[in-house]
Amino acid sequence: LRKTIADQANVPPFYIFSDATLMEMAAKKPNDDPSFLSIHGVGNHKLSTYGKVFMAEITQHIPLRVLYVQTCSRLPLLSCYE
């Protein structure tokens, strides 16, 4: 994704996000604006420019069980088991 965006913008891929930023995204799997902003190398500009597309890509690669656990952790306990 980073390479595709960089090629379209005619810039080196690290202008989009550094390797370290991508590795942190892979580890933390941000799925909303606050969690995406918590990634080192992401500010408001990169959030507004790339946030939705990168979070969509990340979400596609999260196993369903992990996504379910992350979602349930934000809901009242019983709503995940009803």
Side-chain angles (χ1 to χ4, degrees), residues 18 20-21 24 28 36-42:
S18 70
T21 299
E24 188 174 346
K28 291 186 175 178
F36 199 77
L37 276 172
S38 75
I39 304 293
H40 182 76
V42 176

Side-chain angles (χ1 to χ4, degrees), residues 32-62:
D32 57 23
D33 289 357
S35 61
F36 199 77
L37 276 172
S38 75
I39 304 293
H40 182 76
V42 176
N44 287 319
H45 175 72
K46 287 193 176 183
L47 170 65
S48 65
T49 306
Y50 309 117
K52 286 183 183 183
V53 68
F54 271 83
M55 285 187 278
E57 187 75 13
I58 291 164
T59 301
Q60 275 188 334
H61 295 285
I62 297 175

